Amino acid sequence: MSTKRVLMVVTNHTSISEDHKTGLWLEEFAAPYNTFKEQGYEVRTTSISGGKVELDPNSIPEEETPNWKEARNELENTEALTKGIVDEDYDAIFLPGGHGTMFDFPDSEALQYALQKYADQDKVIGSVCHGPAGLVNATYSDGTPIVKGKKVNAFTDEEERGMGLDAYMPFLLESKLREKGADFVKADSWSDFSVRDGKLVTGQNPMSSGSTAEKVVQALKE
């Protein structure tokens, strides 16, 4: 059986406001990265514009996390996502979150190309927390939103308001996914919750990183 290949795409956006830095939320990348590597999958890490990926300062553990070291090294000098990379043969795409994704995922031409291609080919699409910001403009080639009629989850409006960052966001993620026709399902704020609908897997918050990745693995094994 051939080795499964997973394409991970992360944000490069680093600020919410002048005094509020953001970026990639580390756990949402590192936990799934480790899950995929433990399965023996080939993982390729890309970002929207390439180069060193900045982490949301609030996501950096106070104590060193040795088993995240390899994942962190992947972020030192990433490739920019291109249509050429997308056209290589990957079995799944995975979008970790961090508030940065709200700014550079929705309108990334390469990412939207990837999501349309994967949706049209019924390949596995996974995302967690704010990662589903990449899904809000994603459509099948006929223009239908890929989340329409699907059970979908993401960082909730309640969680966003709880952080006091709702006023700084270009949109509220839960509300926008609902607008696009998603059957949005959720659990209590800050609880581990993820949902799979066919080949589409989404998770609610950083605590859901592991369970989201496990559902991606399940989808890849079927």
Side-chain angles (χ1 to χ4, degrees):
M1 210 169 80
S2 61
T3 302
K4 297 292 187 185
R5 305 177 76 214
V6 180
L7 180 62
M8 297 186 79
V9 186
V10 300
T11 181
N12 292 108
H13 191 86
T14 58
S15 66
I16 292 173
S17 64
E18 281 185 19
D19 56 356
H20 197 111
K21 298 296 180 196
T22 190
L24 168 68
W25 196 272
L26 178 58
E27 181 179 4
E28 295 168 24
F29 173 76
Y33 176 89
N34 285 352
T35 296
F36 301 146
K37 294 294 279 190
E38 284 160 11
Q39 290 291 326
Y41 296 168
E42 181 185 323
V43 181
R44 187 171 187 177
T45 304
T46 65
S47 61
I48 297 300
S49 53
K52 181 177 170 62
V53 172
E54 299 297 335
L55 299 173
D56 187 305
N58 293 319
S59 77
I60 300 171
E62 289 182 16
E63 295 178 15
E64 190 63 36
T65 312
N67 67 334
W68 287 0
K69 188 171 178 20
E70 182 184 338
R72 290 192 70 163
N73 288 341
E74 286 278 303
L75 303 170
E76 286 300 310
N77 187 22
T78 60
E79 299 174 272
L81 181 68
T82 62
K83 291 182 178 180
I85 290 173
V86 173
D87 286 339
E88 294 179 33
D89 194 23
Y90 291 92
D91 299 286
I93 188 169
F94 192 87
L95 311 178
H99 280 93
T101 60
M102 295 286 285
F103 299 88
D104 64 358
F105 272 17
D107 298 316
S108 162
E109 192 176 333
L111 179 57
Q112 295 307 310
Y113 173 81
L115 293 167
Q116 181 170 104
K117 180 166 185 160
Y118 280 47
D120 280 342
Q121 295 179 353
D122 198 31
K123 288 188 174 181
V124 177
I125 297 171
S127 59
V128 64
C129 197
H130 286 92
L135 306 179
V136 299
N137 291 332
T139 67
Y140 292 96
S141 51
D142 69 1
T144 304
I146 68 172
V147 298
K148 185 176 181 181
K150 296 275 182 66
K151 282 190 167 54
V152 172
N153 172 246
F155 201 64
T156 65
D157 293 356
E158 184 180 358
E159 286 167 321
E160 199 70 83
R161 292 186 181 107
M163 289 192 75
L165 295 175
D166 51 305
Y168 298 98
M169 292 297 105
F171 54 88
L172 287 174
L173 187 48
E174 174 188 339
S175 292
K176 183 66 76 175
L177 288 165
R178 289 182 187 278
E179 280 176 30
K180 299 291 182 171
D183 176 11
F184 196 93
V185 292
K186 57 185 174 180
D188 292 339
S189 293
W190 311 113
S191 58
D192 177 357
F193 183 75
S194 53
V195 63
R196 177 183 162 203
D197 191 330
K199 299 290 180 68
L200 183 63
V201 180
T202 44
Q204 187 164 320
N205 48 39
M207 293 68 115
S208 311
S209 303
S211 67
T212 306
E214 289 293 347
K215 285 182 173 67
V216 167
V217 170
Q218 289 168 13
L220 284 169
K221 287 182 174 178
E222 291 179 1

